[in-house]
Amino acid sequence: MLKLIFRRVALTLPTFVALMFVTFVAVRMVPGDPIEARTGERGIAPERLAALRHDLGLDQPVWKQFLDYAYGLLHGDFGVSIVTKTPVLHEFLILFPATLELALCALVFAIVLGIPAGVLAAVKRGSVLDHSVMTVALAGYSMPIFWWGLLLIMFVSEYLGLTPVSGRMDLINYYFEPVTGFMLIDSLLSGQEGAFGAAVAHLILPSIVLGTIPLAVIARMTRSSMLEVLGEDYVRTARAKGLSPLRVVGLHALRNALIPVVTVVGLQTGTLLAGAVLTETIFAWPGVGKWLIESISRRDYPALQGGIMLISAIVILVNLIVDMLYVAINPRIRHG
Amino acid sequence: MPVISTKAAIAAALLTAFAAAPAYAAKTLVYCSEGSPENFTPALNTTGTSFDAARPVYNQLVEFERGTTKVVPGLAESWTVSDDGKELTFKLRKGVKFHSGVNGFTPSRDFNADDVIFTFDRMWKPENPYHKVTGGAYDYFNDMGMPDLLASIDKVDDYTVKFVLKEPNAPMLANLAMDFATIHSKEYADFLLKKGTPEQFDQIPVGTGPFSFVNYQKDAVIRYKAFPAYFEGPAKIDNLVYAITPDPTARYAKLKKGECHVMIAPNPADIAGMKTDPAVNLLSQPGLNIAYWAFNVEKPPFDKKEVRQAFNMAIDKAAIIKDVYQGAGQGAINPIPPTIWSYNKDVKDYAYDPEKAKKMLADAGVKTPLDIDLWWMPVQRPYNPNAKRIAEMMQADLAKIGVNAKLVSYEWGEYRKRMQEGEHTTGQLGWTGDNGDPDNFFFLLGCPAARKGGQNLAKWCNKEFDDLITKARTISDLSERTKLYEQAQVIFKEEAPWFTIAHSVVYEPTRKEVVDYKVSPFGRHEFYGVELK
């Protein structure tokens, strides 16, 4: 097991170096530069532009800028945002808890609904239930996020008045300083009456919106994987032995059917952690996705590079954990 | 025992967590803004979002009266201008307090001349210890030409400051009311320098303004509380909260639900619904801006006045206003918006008349089909919500008079640079006023700006026009200046270096319980004086 982990970690190193290089080059290939991007209609005098570029080190040859950047990274320095002048790592650490909190809630929503839905559809193959689940899953998968988010806001928040529209907390009635950055925890720590409930209420719609696509993918994957497993000999044997259908499906079939599902969950987690730009924008969720998109439009090279590197590291780590989970679920992989 | 007590503690925590009675309340006004500030020092910033975030905390020497472009006393209670127009002497207000207790800072003295000198030295003098802090790019200070205008800023005594100019400049007073001229505390700057954290000066603001800074969570929320010792009396609300909400539809939904009281920039499509919404007051004011289409007079056939006039007649402006602005714009006639003093109401626009335009082109010796390029800006602005759509409509109109317009665009920085270099034949751009002074618009058409790389995109240099606006800049008598600018507008319309497209109309929805909110012509958002019913 340790050898496997070591091998996997060693393999990620070249990935990182390649990623660092590609990110560095790609952000500089986008037309425009950070100083001109923030200049309005007035424009900027060439001498002033040159002076400001010099201050930011943008007048250096690109290879030198890259080496400086790589040197900084090796020392844990992700640079300083051109726009806000604060360290990139500091900005990321402020925003990431919001992304993580939302991603986890969306994932829980997707798994809790997706796996049972997929199992039911497989067991009742060809029934009305099966067709309904698959139709809803297809609809969920094809749903434009922006439209879905606004629809839920209009119906659930505005019309039914059940949830708040956006943000992470009721700003009129509560105020407490962030401690962990996770609103669910901070609201509990604040000890203010009703704050935790408000935090939960604010999480409902964004979690549904962000979890809809993973939910659809997980449900479909669980169904097809279950169908395959249900046809296997050992399931027939288990049935022949007179085991209850719940035991056959829940214990014998589901465990084996889960392997591809875990892969999908892992991939979806990676996507969710990279930040959900549209969901974050609609629900005014202060996460890393929106931050990265703004960094592109402002040509904030350090924020963009640092943000991509940090997110990639997290995605790679999640994939590593998923690989380890396979081994736990299916011992054959250990020997493969 | 410990197990039981832990369980009891969790149960108690959950009970209090889900109970509905809120703890924090008082009179809290929530403003749904659209983005995060870069920092809290206006001198370093260029965006309205950042200025809005710093404004509750600060004051300037002179200020714009809320909802107008009129310059009124701020931290200076009065001022005098010397006879030669080169000296502005400000008498400072006494007994003005800085916020206390923010970031561990307790001021030991009131505001005085040292704060004014420090504020301007930071932007102006490289030897100031704060000059390079937070990047040190003082865009507005430089763009408004302050380094070229200022000879010195002198402390006469603790409560008198004299600005000495190299030449008379009437708009200077209005410049000092702009956000970049926000006055900072020298004592706070020294305090942070001693602590070794000067960068906090721009992150955790301390000022003299009606609200003191409480907390900022990036991309989420900014909080302020009323400053009880504010020199004009405490604000009528207790807490001010900026809820950063980028999507306009979500902002409107929050406004409807009472999650915010005032919102910025509604969707044009929502305006009609807002007008009939019983919970909403839809305020509006013409924006201090203009969208225009410049003809490069250095390129034939636009060197001929008659051709430029013909192009003015060829475009159906009313259709553009209806289709692109959807009620949030009014057709422009002059190069300045009607809200600015000296606007000449007697100037008439060219009527839409493609037949006459065609004839004028023929009379001017222009052979059709004529090929031109038509540049459209790649960014959205309040004064021009969709430059590409406008360009397409113009293209269709021009085809009717035998002109083939090729649509051209570049990335924003490149676009602006190339147009300033004069590479275009015709192109769209616009302007948003900084200080409410007519000169802030007219300089765009002056001869110095017509140089290569300059901001006069028509590259039009008319001596008579330029003399008028140059003279108007140097005299301080308002009625005399008005006359000069009125004449300049007549020349502008006759010479037609631009097709004036539109001035936007700014809409600001507020909830009905918000009292005395005023829409600013500058697009500012100000909450001192605002009350909640």
Side-chain angles (χ1 to χ4, degrees):
Chain A
M1 184 81 165
L2 268 179
K3 210 171 140 192
L4 182 77
I5 295 176
F6 183 75
R7 207 168 62 208
R8 284 298 315 269
V9 172
L11 271 175
T12 57
L13 284 177
T15 316
F16 262 118
V17 176
L19 195 73
M20 187 166 73
F21 182 73
V22 171
T23 314
F24 191 89
V25 173
V27 296
R28 278 164 179 75
M29 279 167 70
V30 181
D33 92 2
I35 298 156
E36 296 227 14
R38 53 170 268 146
T39 312
E41 276 71 354
R42 205 181 280 273
I44 184 163
E47 315 79 57
R48 223 173 111 64
L49 179 67
L52 292 174
R53 284 180 63 87
H54 176 73
D55 286 350
L56 294 174
L58 295 172
D59 56 345
Q60 302 277 347
V62 175
W63 62 265
K64 183 154 188 315
Q65 290 181 43
F66 178 72
L67 289 182
D68 287 348
Y69 181 66
Y71 181 81
L73 268 190
L74 282 175
H75 292 78
D77 177 9
F78 286 82
V80 170
S81 157
I82 291 176
V83 176
T84 61
K85 309 288 176 198
T86 40
V88 171
L89 187 62
H90 175 75
E91 294 209 328
F92 182 85
L93 291 177
I94 287 177
L95 299 172
F96 189 66
T99 295
L100 186 60
E101 189 172 47
L102 177 58
L104 289 178
C105 290
L107 208 62
V108 167
F109 165 77
I111 292 172
V112 166
L113 287 184
I115 292 181
V119 172
L120 275 178
V123 173
K124 307 274 179 195
R125 187 184 185 181
S127 69
V128 177
L129 181 80
D130 180 20
H131 289 303
S132 310
V133 168
M134 286 307 103
T135 309
V136 172
L138 185 66
Y141 191 72
S142 336
M143 197 97 76
I145 294 279
F146 214 85
W147 177 83
W148 180 221
L150 291 177
L151 190 79
L152 282 181
I153 286 180
M154 283 173 189
F155 185 68
V156 182
S157 300
E158 267 186 64
Y159 182 71
L160 299 176
L162 293 177
T163 60
V165 174
S166 70
R168 296 177 81 193
M169 185 36 72
D170 171 351
L171 300 174
I172 296 179
N173 294 313
Y174 301 101
Y175 171 59
F176 44 85
E177 299 263 340
V179 181
T180 62
F182 295 93
M183 195 54 89
L184 292 176
I185 301 174
D186 288 350
S187 58
L188 273 179
L189 291 178
S190 77
Q192 292 183 23
E193 287 181 16
F196 181 74
V200 172
H202 280 83
L203 262 164
I204 295 172
L205 290 193
S207 301
I208 293 176
V209 170
L210 191 59
T212 299
I213 290 179
L215 164 67
V217 174
I218 290 170
R220 287 167 67 88
M221 183 52 85
T222 309
R223 178 184 179 271
S224 60
S225 177
M226 275 299 280
L227 283 178
E228 207 179 306
V229 173
L230 286 173
E232 296 279 340
D233 291 346
Y234 67 88
V235 173
R236 207 176 313 134
T237 312
R239 282 202 176 118
K241 272 165 60 186
L243 292 182
S244 72
L246 196 67
R247 251 181 106 77
V248 174
V249 173
L251 199 72
H252 293 262
L254 186 59
R255 182 163 173 178
N256 286 299
L258 274 185
I259 295 172
V261 178
V262 169
T263 314
V264 168
V265 170
L267 288 174
Q268 292 293 331
T269 311
T271 317
L272 294 182
L273 289 180
V277 181
L278 293 178
T279 313
E280 285 176 6
T281 305
I282 305 166
F283 291 100
W285 202 264
V288 292
K290 197 153 62 69
W291 174 61
L292 280 183
I293 293 296
E294 272 171 19
S295 302
I296 296 176
S297 63
R298 290 164 158 182
R299 309 290 189 273
D300 192 344
Y301 298 153
L304 198 53
Q305 286 158 195
I308 293 175
M309 293 303 293
L310 285 162
I311 287 171
S312 310
I314 290 164
V315 171
I316 289 173
L317 186 72
V318 169
N319 283 333
L320 192 67
I321 294 170
V322 169
D323 284 359
M324 298 305 121
L325 274 178
Y326 288 162
V327 181
I329 296 175
N330 187 351
R332 274 179 301 180
I333 292 174
R334 218 175 297 169
H335 312 292
Chain B
M1 275 308 279
V3 178
I4 295 166
S5 62
T6 314
K7 272 185 184 169
I10 293 172
L14 285 177
L15 266 178
T16 48
F18 278 103
Y24 176 84
K27 272 198 172 178
T28 300
L29 184 139
V30 182
Y31 161 57
C32 272
S33 65
E34 87 287 33
S36 291
E38 293 157 17
N39 54 62
F40 289 89
T41 295
L44 295 163
N45 299 326
T46 53
T47 63
T49 308
S50 296
F51 293 151
D52 277 346
R55 197 168 296 116
V57 179
Y58 291 114
N59 292 102
Q60 294 80 35
L61 285 177
V62 287
E63 296 178 353
F64 297 114
E65 189 178 67
R66 201 158 59 93
T68 73
T69 59
K70 192 178 157 200
V71 177
V72 295
L75 289 173
E77 57 187 12
S78 64
W79 59 89
T80 51
V81 182
S82 65
D83 290 342
D84 65 358
K86 285 188 178 175
E87 286 182 11
L88 272 98
T89 307
F90 292 95
K91 277 274 165 219
L92 307 183
R93 211 180 275 267
K94 288 181 181 157
V96 174
K97 310 280 179 211
F98 280 102
H99 305 147
S100 181
V102 179
N103 201 18
F105 170 67
T106 311
S108 68
R109 62 163 176 83
D110 291 349
F111 153 77
N112 68 23
D114 291 337
D115 301 310
V116 179
I117 303 288
F118 164 76
T119 295
F120 287 93
D121 272 1
R122 180 185 178 184
M123 295 186 269
W124 193 17
K125 308 267 170 76
E127 65 272 18
N128 182 286
Y130 273 82
H131 186 71
K132 280 282 174 197
V133 173
T134 317
Y138 305 100
D139 292 324
Y140 262 105
F141 183 76
N142 287 288
D143 289 346
M144 299 310 287
M146 298 294 277
D148 298 330
L149 281 170
L150 288 171
S152 68
I153 303 176
D154 307 322
K155 172 181 171 179
V156 179
D157 59 48
D158 271 358
Y159 291 97
T160 314
V161 177
K162 189 160 69 180
F163 283 64
V164 183
L165 310 183
K166 289 178 187 160
E167 58 189 54
N169 184 282
M172 179 53 120
L173 195 66
N175 286 354
L176 295 178
M178 288 171 62
D179 290 286
F180 81 87
T182 284
I183 303 295
H184 293 269
S185 161
K186 180 178 187 300
E187 201 187 359
Y188 180 50
D190 292 342
F191 166 78
L192 291 178
L193 210 55
K194 212 185 253 176
K195 245 177 78 177
T197 54
E199 68 286 348
Q200 286 186 357
F201 189 74
D202 305 315
Q203 309 292 342
I204 306 173
V206 168
T208 52
F211 296 92
S212 63
F213 175 81
V214 174
N215 174 278
Y216 165 49
Q217 289 164 46
K218 189 175 166 57
D219 287 349
V221 57
I222 315 171
R223 286 181 179 274
Y224 316 83
K225 64 177 182 204
F227 178 41
Y230 183 53
F231 65 85
E232 300 222 76
K236 293 170 184 163
I237 48 175
D238 303 314
N239 303 297
L240 175 63
V241 178
Y242 284 21
I244 300 167
T245 314
D247 181 65
T249 310
R251 282 199 292 272
Y252 182 33
K254 276 173 97 76
L255 189 82
K256 280 203 269 194
K257 270 205 84 186
E259 288 177 29
C260 59
H261 300 97
V262 179
M263 68 170 270
I264 191 174
N267 256 338
D270 290 334
I271 300 282
M274 287 173 177
K275 283 181 180 159
T276 55
D277 192 327
V280 171
N281 254 340
L282 186 64
L283 310 172
S284 71
Q285 170 144 338
L288 199 72
N289 56 35
I290 182 158
Y292 62 83
W293 178 34
F295 308 118
N296 186 345
V297 304
E298 286 176 344
K299 293 197 173 170
F302 294 101
D303 50 343
K304 292 184 181 149
K305 178 174 84 177
E306 296 74 20
V307 173
R308 302 193 297 262
Q309 289 174 338
F311 270 66
N312 260 279
M313 292 174 197
I315 306 297
D316 187 356
K317 193 179 293 185
I320 292 175
I321 301 295
K322 186 164 170 275
D323 201 58
V324 181
Y325 290 83
Q326 296 180 33
Q330 61 178 120
I333 300 170
N334 288 320
I336 60 171
T339 36
I340 285 198
W341 56 271
S342 82
Y343 181 86
N344 191 338
K345 289 193 186 78
D346 297 331
V347 172
K348 295 277 169 283
D349 206 2
Y350 293 97
Y352 172 54
D353 191 344
E355 285 310 313
K356 192 170 172 197
K358 217 167 167 175
K359 187 173 173 303
M360 280 180 78
L361 278 189
D363 291 347
V366 174
K367 290 201 174 65
T368 50
L370 169 72
D371 292 327
I372 63 160
D373 54 43
L374 197 174
W375 292 32
W376 57 272
M377 47 199 274
V379 290
Q380 227 185 6
R381 290 285 190 268
Y383 62 72
N384 190 337
N386 192 342
K388 189 178 184 196
R389 177 80 192 117
I390 293 180
E392 285 165 353
M393 292 177 78
M394 287 175 166
Q395 188 184 38
D397 283 341
L398 291 172
K400 292 176 199 157
I401 62 163
V403 175
N404 298 324
K406 187 178 146 211
L407 302 192
V408 177
S409 196
Y410 294 94
E411 178 276 327
W412 173 233
E414 195 67 19
Y415 178 85
R416 194 189 43 220
K417 198 159 59 190
R418 284 174 186 254
M419 274 190 79
Q420 291 184 348
E421 289 293 314
E423 286 185 26
H424 59 296
T425 7
T426 75
Q428 290 179 51
L429 205 73
W431 187 252
T432 303
D434 298 304
N435 57 14
D437 194 282
D439 183 64
N440 188 235
F441 280 81
F442 281 109
F443 87 100
L444 291 170
L445 290 153
C447 289
R451 71 181 199 291
K452 219 171 173 200
Q455 293 180 66
N456 183 338
L457 301 183
K459 304 294 159 197
W460 173 72
C461 172
N462 179 293
K463 186 154 184 329
E464 200 187 344
F465 177 91
D466 195 59
D467 286 348
L468 286 169
I469 62 166
T470 307
K471 192 174 169 204
R473 194 179 298 139
T474 56
I475 50 179
S476 45
D477 185 278
L478 209 67
S479 62
E480 230 178 297
R481 287 185 78 195
T482 302
K483 274 185 212 148
L484 297 172
Y485 286 132
E486 281 175 352
Q487 287 174 46
Q489 286 166 76
V490 174
I491 298 171
F492 165 83
K493 206 66 200 176
E494 168 67 19
E495 286 281 322
W498 293 354
F499 170 82
T500 46
I501 304 172
H503 312 291
S504 78
V505 175
V506 181
Y507 284 100
E508 299 251 11
T510 69
R511 283 188 65 82
K512 279 268 158 62
E513 57 265 34
V514 176
V515 180
D516 205 20
Y517 181 81
K518 289 183 178 155
V519 183
S520 154
F522 296 108
R524 294 165 156 222
H525 296 85
E526 293 166 290
F527 300 98
Y528 178 68
V530 178
E531 202 172 347
L532 279 176
K533 259 195 297 206

